[in-house]
Amino acid sequence: MVESLYDEYERIVHHLRDAQEISYLATLERTFPKVLLLASASQAESRICEAIIRYFKEVSGRHSLAVNFVKNKAISRQYHSFFDWDRRNANKFFGLFGEEFKARVVEVVRGDPTLDQAVRDFMELGSLRNQLVHQDYASFTIEKTVSEIVEQHRSAAVFVGKILELLLE
């Protein structure tokens, strides 16, 4: 979804430039980073929650009582408590699965520069998202371009996409 929003943004930018609608273009470039940031953070939240549910389905033998408990008590409205958004690592999240898992995954992340950057980008986007929604959204300024947010989103997606694999190892 983030990619399709970005494609739409690019088409609108080209149209506004062609039509010489500079003031509308300036408004778009000031406001669209917020939209894209929220979309990216929302997509990451959804994918991480889905990965955790898939993990519990796998380890419980698809036992619906266990999976429903995890969905209803451990995941529902808890996502933002999984991470310490002020840090540039996901160690708090890893620690929720125990110290052994945390230690193993911290080493995996340290040993993989792409994954390490993905975690940092994920955490930065999550932190920015929190600032955006908990401060005055209308006046909040994101010091990133749409292209920079999309690049961070793509990087963060590497981490988000690897969570289930890390849990199942």
Side-chain angles (χ1 to χ4, degrees):
M1 191 63 188
V2 171
E3 294 293 335
S4 65
L5 284 173
Y6 181 59
D7 290 342
E8 289 174 23
Y9 165 82
E10 289 290 308
R11 286 193 298 276
I12 294 168
V13 165
H14 290 299
H15 173 74
L16 292 174
R17 281 192 183 134
D18 290 347
Q20 297 183 358
E21 295 287 356
I22 305 307
S23 63
Y24 289 130
L25 181 59
T27 299
L28 179 69
E29 290 178 341
R30 187 178 63 253
T31 58
F32 205 78
K34 294 177 187 182
V35 171
L36 209 55
L37 174 64
L38 288 177
S40 176
S42 178
Q43 185 174 341
E45 177 178 353
S46 178
R47 290 184 63 208
I48 288 172
C49 291
E50 287 171 13
I52 294 168
I53 291 166
R54 285 182 61 198
Y55 169 74
F56 279 97
K57 282 181 180 177
E58 184 73 27
V59 299
S60 72
R62 303 199 181 281
H63 195 278
S64 65
L65 293 177
V67 173
N68 285 330
F69 180 83
V70 168
K71 279 184 193 177
N72 295 327
K73 192 61 182 166
I75 294 177
S76 180
R77 297 193 175 131
Q78 297 299 312
Y79 174 77
H80 290 288
S81 69
F82 295 170
F83 300 92
D84 183 349
W85 297 109
D86 296 328
R87 298 189 184 261
R88 292 290 189 240
N89 63 56
N91 294 351
K92 179 180 178 184
F93 174 71
F94 301 146
L96 294 174
F97 296 93
E99 287 303 313
E100 184 178 313
F101 176 79
K102 176 182 171 182
R104 180 177 59 79
V105 174
V106 165
E107 287 305 311
V108 168
V109 171
R110 281 188 188 142
D112 183 340
T114 301
L115 183 57
D116 185 51
Q117 184 64 51
V119 170
R120 285 187 277 129
D121 286 336
F122 167 80
M123 294 301 294
E124 183 176 1
L125 290 173
S127 177
L128 277 173
R129 176 257 174 222
N130 284 350
Q131 292 171 47
L132 177 65
V133 299
H134 294 295
Q135 295 178 24
D136 181 5
Y137 178 93
S139 66
F140 187 82
T141 302
I142 296 176
E143 300 296 329
K144 291 185 178 295
T145 66
V146 167
S147 296
E148 290 169 332
I149 292 171
V150 167
E151 287 306 312
Q152 278 193 287
H153 168 78
R154 290 173 180 157
S155 171
V158 171
F159 167 61
V160 172
K162 190 152 176 83
I163 289 175
L164 183 60
E165 178 186 328
L166 292 168
L167 288 168
L168 291 172
E169 284 181 356

